[in-house]
Amino acid sequence: MTEPATLAATDPATPAPTPFAEPVKPIGGRWISLFALAWLGVWMAQLTPVQLLLPIQVEAQLKAADWVDNVVAFGVVSGIAGAFALIAYPLTGALSDRTASRLGRRRPWILGGALLFAASLVVLGAQTGIVGIGVWWTLTLIGFCVLTAALTATISDQVPVGQRGYVSGWISAPQAVGTILGIVLVTALALSQFIGYALMAALLVVLVLPFLLGVPDEVLPKAQRPPFSLRALAAGFWISPRRFPDFGWTLLSRILVNVGNALGTTLLLYFLMYQVKVPNAEDTLLVLTLIYMLFVVLAALFLGRLSDRLGRRKVFVLVSSALQGTAALLLAFWPNLTVATVGAGLLGLGYGCFLSVDQALATQVLPDPAARGKDLGIMNIATAVPQALAPLLGAYIVAQWGGFGTLYLAAGITSVVGALVVLPVKGVR
């Protein structure tokens, strides 16, 4: 694995960096490989339940005849868990910013989050009641938030600006691979519910450990630890868009684009079954997902790298969001399998580019170097919460507002508006 040319070079005369200094030393292929491996474990453990295990588990307990009822129940469980993500992401980031452990600032939280994530998955697999499912999925998502908040912060801590698009691509590319790999493992091996969850938990720990053990994390001297109070912590969760407009516009853009993507993908199986009426909708969904994931991987790695080389972010965010909006609008007005196949490719191309480049953009608009973890935690809310709320919101739109055409129209418009919102960002090209 090779790295792209960076925009910054290390000056031998430059003094040793502080924990809050902007990194300038390029990271190597080993760092990127371990980072990608960790994210592969994260995405398998989070998305295999979301896409397969959890909906089946909820449906088995609910025993509803109408698919809308099943989706609403799944959406309620996801929505409650998503509400806790609103707190877990920035809280973890803020606490890790102040962690003066000899292991570093981020590693204790990576370890703790991975263990909570994995243990909750195992217990979730044993649940036979809807309340237990909701409680343990919430704890699972909290573990996911703790782990990924700390992992994401390592980009700002250790990766120079000129490599962030490429490195961020190694968050989204494993997402594509992990989704398919997890589903294939569970279905091909015909695993039971409990064994499926337990396997995802074990793979999470196995794949995160190499990064945890192999990548150093600079220790924060206690003398440099930011002051702490509950009032200051709570106040830090609000970042004024007037004082920091670039952060505000980037956050709003990320929320809108992720809502649009989530609405466009979450109910795709039901769209194929009840709108397009294709035979073997599950097999068709797998094919469309493979097309989508292929384009996600290609866009995330190659366009993220191109963004680094050109030193530009906004134009890539604009184009990627517009592609997602186009894909959704095609499905809204021409709901057939051919258009769905083209739409899957466009959606993957747009979302893959967005995931890598927008993550790099987010790291460049953070207001305070001493609060990178907390500020990126706030940014990460815009990724996790739309995915959690989309099943409920999507089911409501389909049931109450005119069916799947309205759903994909809403997804397309939201994505296009999300693209336009990034235009006022002035501090990043």
Side-chain angles (χ1 to χ4, degrees):
M1 186 182 298
T2 58
E3 305 84 41
T6 60
L7 301 179
T10 303
D11 182 357
T14 301
T18 70
F20 309 128
E22 193 70 28
V24 293
K25 182 180 178 181
I27 50 133
R30 180 175 176 275
W31 195 104
I32 297 173
S33 298
L34 296 179
F35 185 74
L37 198 65
W39 279 103
L40 177 62
V42 168
W43 291 127
M44 270 199 293
Q46 199 256 348
L47 293 177
T48 304
V50 168
Q51 296 290 335
L52 179 65
L53 295 171
L54 191 59
I56 292 175
Q57 191 177 15
V58 170
E59 186 172 342
Q61 299 307 315
L62 195 64
K63 297 181 175 64
D66 188 349
W67 71 269
V68 175
D69 292 337
N70 288 322
V71 173
V72 168
F74 175 61
V76 170
V77 171
S78 298
I80 293 171
F84 281 86
L86 288 169
I87 301 170
Y89 261 134
L91 181 61
T92 299
L95 294 176
S96 71
D97 287 333
R98 295 166 168 82
T99 298
S101 163
R102 60 186 178 86
L103 297 177
R105 285 186 293 168
R106 314 301 181 190
R107 281 201 288 190
W109 297 94
I110 293 174
L111 176 61
L115 293 177
L116 176 60
F117 192 177
S120 299
L121 280 172
V122 173
V123 180
L124 174 62
Q127 298 306 303
T128 57
I130 199 71
V131 174
I133 292 171
V135 169
W136 286 101
W137 177 245
T138 298
L139 288 170
T140 297
L141 192 62
I142 290 173
F144 166 81
C145 292
V146 172
L147 169 57
T148 56
L151 265 180
T152 305
T154 62
I155 298 178
S156 292
D157 292 342
Q158 302 186 35
V159 181
V161 169
Q163 286 184 295
R164 288 182 186 172
Y166 181 65
V167 170
S168 296
W170 287 103
I171 297 178
S172 46
Q175 178 178 356
V177 177
T179 304
I180 295 296
L181 185 57
I183 292 174
V184 168
L185 281 173
V186 172
T187 56
L189 298 177
L191 300 179
S192 67
Q193 172 184 296
F194 178 78
I195 299 299
Y197 276 114
L199 177 61
M200 295 303 106
L203 288 173
L204 168 69
V205 174
V206 168
L207 294 175
V208 168
L209 271 179
F211 183 86
L212 186 68
L213 299 175
V215 173
D217 185 13
E218 187 172 5
V219 174
L220 174 66
K222 291 184 178 180
Q224 296 186 37
R225 181 165 54 187
F228 176 80
S229 71
L230 291 177
R231 177 177 293 183
L233 180 65
F237 290 171
W238 167 251
I239 297 176
S240 171
R242 288 192 175 185
R243 291 185 60 200
F244 305 104
D246 284 358
F247 184 92
W249 288 119
T250 302
L251 178 62
L252 180 58
S253 173
R254 176 176 280 207
I255 291 171
L256 292 172
V257 172
N258 277 288
V259 167
N261 181 268
L263 290 176
T265 57
T266 303
L267 301 184
L268 186 57
L269 175 61
Y270 298 109
F271 170 74
L272 295 172
M273 293 171 64
Y274 298 106
Q275 179 73 35
V276 183
K277 293 182 171 58
V278 299
N280 301 317
E282 291 85 353
D283 294 339
T284 303
L285 176 65
L286 181 60
V287 172
L288 293 181
T289 303
L290 285 170
I291 295 171
Y292 169 78
M293 295 303 182
L294 173 64
F295 280 94
V296 166
V297 172
L298 293 175
L301 297 182
F302 290 102
L303 296 180
R305 185 170 184 169
L306 180 61
S307 171
D308 287 336
R309 291 191 179 279
L310 297 178
R312 303 182 72 91
R313 309 293 189 200
K314 289 200 300 184
V315 65
F316 287 90
V317 173
L318 281 166
V319 172
S320 65
S321 305
L323 284 172
Q324 291 180 79
T326 300
L329 293 174
L330 285 173
L331 291 175
F333 293 107
W334 294 280
N336 60 66
L337 186 56
T338 301
V339 171
T341 304
V342 174
L346 288 176
L347 193 64
L349 185 64
Y351 197 53
C353 178
F354 179 83
L355 284 171
S356 59
V357 178
D358 184 70
Q359 182 63 43
L361 172 62
T363 66
Q364 293 176 246
V365 297
L366 302 180
D368 183 2
R372 289 171 180 152
K374 181 263 295 180
D375 295 342
L376 280 174
I378 295 172
M379 280 288 183
N380 285 336
I381 289 172
T383 302
V385 174
Q387 293 292 336
L389 297 179
L392 183 59
L393 178 59
Y396 180 79
I397 292 174
V398 171
Q400 302 295 326
W401 288 3
F404 288 99
T406 305
L407 174 69
Y408 286 110
L409 183 63
I413 292 174
T414 304
S415 295
V416 170
V417 173
L420 298 176
V421 163
V422 82
L423 286 174
V425 173
K426 300 186 183 302
V428 181
R429 295 174 64 200

